[in-house]
Amino acid sequence: MLTSQRKKHLLDLLSRDGRIVAKPVSEQLEVSEDTIRRDLRELAKEGLLRRVHGGALPITPPMVMFANRQGIEPGAKADIGRAAAALVQPGQVVFIDGGTTCVQLARHLAPDLHATVVTHSPSIAVELSTHAYIDVIIIGGKLFKHSVVAMGSSTIGEIAKVRADQYFMGVCSLHPRTGITSLDFEEAAIKRAFSRAAAETIVLASPDKLETTSPFEIVPLDEVGRIVVNRDTDPELIAPYQAQGIEITLA
């Protein structure tokens, strides 16, 4: 097998399985582990994967500050926010996460909607401050400036006291094999607490989050009820989630 063919195989394997372990791949391809490691090093230099001990993982998206993220895929995020807002029913209690896509969700909630929103995001609270019929409950804690949300043990404790109908989660990374992951350990714990205090978890996944993975698991995919993605998302990217029984909403 030529080097180019081997590298393509490695990238296909990474896309399918969410990780590469060098030893079994070397045995499968009947080449040395050193050869596979060299291929992985070269692919990492090209920015196509992330090297880890014994193999590789998909590229971790960079940690970008909240203000800068507002300029990434703004149209796609607005579409997702609009579609997610339509899922909120009158009388419900919902958790809304922090993040720029969730701000779009809050912005598109129907002006005559009667509901209660519980959030740890000052941005969401401000967005809903002029909504006539939505009660807003803010959960406090130490401000995590990257995402402009409250975090900490007290935040988790307050989340656990609420039983919500839905949790709208903004994600750092979404992959059919590695699941929903975050770049920050504490942020992953907060999202996990929200998810487990809600009857249904709905993931808002803008195009830049798909087929990526980050170091810290939030929840496995079997705890997700629905994913909201853009209508023009490649069907091959959506199919693995549908195969796991997750509802897909196309925005």
Side-chain angles (χ1 to χ4, degrees):
M1 181 179 287
L2 298 174
T3 301
S4 59
Q5 293 173 316
R6 210 168 47 240
K7 288 181 177 179
K8 182 181 184 303
H9 176 78
L10 290 171
L11 293 174
D12 289 343
L13 187 65
L14 184 62
S15 177
R16 188 192 72 194
D17 295 343
R19 62 180 304 199
I20 294 171
V21 180
K23 184 175 181 179
V25 174
S26 68
E27 293 172 352
Q28 177 196 13
L29 299 182
E30 298 182 343
V31 296
S32 69
E33 282 190 60
D34 286 341
T35 297
I36 297 299
R37 291 194 190 99
R38 184 177 64 249
D39 291 341
L40 294 177
R41 283 196 299 271
E42 292 175 1
L43 289 168
K45 287 180 181 179
E46 295 173 36
L48 297 175
L49 50 75
R50 178 164 60 97
R51 286 279 289 116
V52 295
H53 179 71
L57 291 172
I59 288 292
T60 299
M63 183 174 277
V64 182
M65 295 298 287
F66 179 88
N68 296 328
R69 293 205 309 275
Q70 294 185 79
I72 300 174
E73 301 277 5
K77 291 178 180 180
D79 290 340
I80 290 173
R82 187 179 299 107
L87 299 173
V88 181
Q89 300 300 309
Q92 284 189 324
V93 176
V94 300
F95 292 133
I96 299 183
D97 211 348
T100 53
T101 307
C102 288
V103 167
Q104 290 293 335
L105 160 59
R107 191 168 293 168
H108 286 95
L109 289 171
D112 60 346
L113 176 69
H114 290 70
T116 299
V117 168
V118 182
T119 185
H120 64 326
S121 165
S123 303
I124 299 297
V126 169
E127 194 66 46
L128 295 174
S129 63
T130 58
H131 197 293
Y133 306 112
I134 291 181
D135 292 328
V136 181
I137 299 173
I138 305 174
I139 294 177
K142 182 179 179 180
L143 184 67
F144 181 43
K145 295 180 181 179
H146 164 256
S147 299
V148 193
V149 294
M151 294 207 312
S153 59
S154 62
T155 312
I156 292 175
E158 291 303 309
I159 292 169
K161 296 176 183 178
V162 182
R163 293 293 175 267
D165 297 292
Q166 296 172 316
Y167 167 40
F168 291 92
M169 181 197 295
V171 295
C172 296
S173 301
L174 180 63
H175 194 283
R177 299 290 292 185
T178 56
I180 304 170
T181 51
S182 173
L183 287 162
D184 186 88
F185 179 78
E186 290 188 37
E187 188 172 39
I190 294 290
K191 291 176 185 291
R192 187 160 51 249
F194 273 128
S195 180
R196 292 179 177 169
E200 181 184 25
T201 294
I202 299 171
V203 172
L204 311 184
S206 54
D208 58 304
K209 307 298 175 61
L210 294 171
E211 290 292 294
T212 65
T213 189
S214 295
F216 304 108
E217 182 184 69
I218 299 172
V219 292
L221 286 174
D222 61 10
E223 295 186 25
V224 173
R226 183 182 299 270
I227 299 173
V228 184
V229 297
N230 290 99
R231 186 172 299 278
D232 58 358
T233 301
D234 186 341
E236 290 187 4
L237 296 180
I238 300 172
Y241 305 105
Q242 292 174 313
Q244 296 183 55
I246 299 173
E247 295 288 335
I248 302 294
T249 295
L250 299 178

